[in-house]
Amino acid sequence: MMCANTRNKSHGFTLLELLVVMVIIGLLAGLVGPRYFKQVGKSQSKVAAAQIDALDKSLVQFRLDVDRFPTTEEGLAALNVAPPDAPNWDGPYLKKEVPNDPWGRPYIYAEPGEHGDFDLSTLGKDARPGGTAENADITNW
């Protein structure tokens, strides 16, 4: 039984309540967003370092079979396709195609290298030598 003095109340949110919630969400996005994107940059650098390590190991396996590293001209493609003068080639040495770096550019390979038997590197996000954080060069030396 309903009382005669009971008013029918609307169960909704006021404009002020909605604005407060939107401000809180905006503040959280402002604090969390930059940290999230910083982590993405670190992740790409870690992926590049892991890929360089895997390519380095594949190049060493190539050398064990062929008695030399691929020339600069043959490049990293020699890990998947036998060079014409490599009768002991026992590849492919990679399960898939040679990957690009996380920023979509080919890895830089040189044989002989300035820092060892071969140099393998990427210039980082900015595609320029040097840099810090996610713009830093990632190398095998």
Side-chain angles (χ1 to χ4, degrees):
M1 189 168 172
M2 272 183 98
C3 204
N5 289 341
T6 306
R7 293 187 336 184
N8 189 8
K9 290 187 176 182
S10 175
H11 296 287
F13 295 105
T14 66
L15 180 59
L16 182 60
E17 291 170 328
L18 289 174
L19 287 174
V20 168
V21 169
M22 289 176 62
V23 167
I24 291 171
I25 291 172
L27 288 172
L28 287 173
L31 293 173
V32 174
R35 290 183 181 173
Y36 170 75
F37 288 113
K38 186 177 180 182
Q39 293 302 319
V40 169
K42 285 182 183 177
S43 296
Q44 289 175 321
S45 296
K46 288 180 181 179
V47 166
Q51 287 178 334
I52 284 177
D53 185 55
L55 290 169
D56 188 284
K57 289 176 180 164
S58 297
L59 287 163
V60 169
Q61 186 62 47
F62 179 98
R63 187 198 58 177
L64 291 172
D65 292 343
V66 181
D67 293 329
R68 66 173 178 82
F69 287 108
T71 64
T72 301
E73 293 76 27
E74 293 169 341
L76 297 175
L79 297 173
N80 286 333
V81 178
D85 64 337
N88 295 333
W89 188 86
D90 193 27
Y93 298 95
L94 298 172
K95 291 181 181 179
K96 297 180 180 180
E97 293 295 317
V98 177
N100 284 333
D101 70 14
W103 302 279
R105 295 182 303 273
Y107 284 99
I108 302 164
Y109 174 75
E111 189 279 331
E114 294 179 20
H115 304 278
D117 292 329
F118 65 90
D119 290 349
L120 184 59
S121 63
T122 180
L123 298 177
K125 182 178 181 179
D126 66 353
R128 289 184 287 178
T132 58
E134 62 190 36
N135 293 328
D137 300 349
I138 301 166
T139 66
N140 70 325
W141 61 87

